Amino acid sequence: MTESPSSSSPVPDAPADKAGAASAKPKPAAVEEQPFERFVPDLLLPAIARECCNYGGPAPELSFLQGPMPVVGSNCWMVKGELPGARRFWLCFTAADIQSSKTVALAEAGAEPSLLESFLIDERKMSLALLVSRLVQRLNGQKWLGPN
């Protein structure tokens, strides 16, 4: 008995198949893999502003700078924000990396921040969406955004 050409015997890869696999486009890098100095001002700041507005609040005035961390004074990278009524917040990064340790500080009008809160300490992989949603959630928890 002879096998028919449609049998399930293995067929070596044809050269055309290998050429097709080699020309497959590499997966684009995740936005979080961008350099920190571009990620924060180009992606994080606009995303925070949009999400604050989505919660019904005003867009905060945001800046990205390196300087003394509120309360403790150690040098860090930070997103500093101000909402109407002189309410201020700081999202601090201990290193120029979104995976680094992070803290949040808040201050009502006329007051200085007096407490640093650990921020996203249990997360294994940091993402733009996670940073934005948790920060805005924290601001909303203060009743600083929209009708509460």
Side-chain angles (χ1 to χ4, degrees), residues 72-95:
V72 296
S74 57
N75 196 40
C76 72
W77 286 96
M78 67 184 102
V79 171
K80 182 178 179 185
E82 186 168 340
L83 291 160
R87 293 173 163 165
R88 295 168 294 147
F89 63 90
W90 295 260
L91 171 59
C92 303
F93 299 83
T94 57

Side-chain angles (χ1 to χ4, degrees), residues 11-142:
V11 176
D13 288 338
D17 291 341
K18 287 182 183 177
S23 67
K25 293 181 181 173
K27 184 178 176 185
V31 295
E32 293 81 6
E33 293 174 10
Q34 288 191 19
F36 182 77
E37 295 80 10
R38 282 202 340 241
F39 172 82
V40 174
D42 295 350
L43 300 171
L44 182 59
L45 298 184
I48 291 169
R50 274 192 310 273
E51 191 65 14
C52 285
C53 292
N54 289 344
Y55 264 74
E61 290 181 31
L62 298 169
S63 57
F64 174 55
L65 55 123
Q66 186 175 22
M69 185 181 295
V71 182
V72 296
S74 57
N75 196 40
C76 72
W77 286 96
M78 67 184 102
V79 171
K80 182 178 179 185
E82 186 168 340
L83 291 160
R87 293 173 163 165
R88 295 168 294 147
F89 63 90
W90 295 260
L91 171 59
C92 303
F93 299 83
T94 57
D97 182 352
I98 66 167
Q99 303 297 334
S100 68
S101 297
K102 290 165 280 307
T103 59
V104 170
L106 305 168
E108 289 283 352
E112 290 300 315
S114 60
L115 176 68
L116 280 180
E117 302 173 22
S118 295
F119 188 69
L120 297 172
I121 59 173
D122 293 332
E123 304 300 328
R124 289 180 178 227
K125 180 114 171 112
M126 199 53 51
S127 70
L128 175 63
L130 185 60
L131 279 166
V132 171
S133 68
R134 295 290 169 82
L135 177 61
V136 173
Q137 187 177 48
R138 179 66 185 93
L139 297 175
N140 193 51
Q142 285 294 119

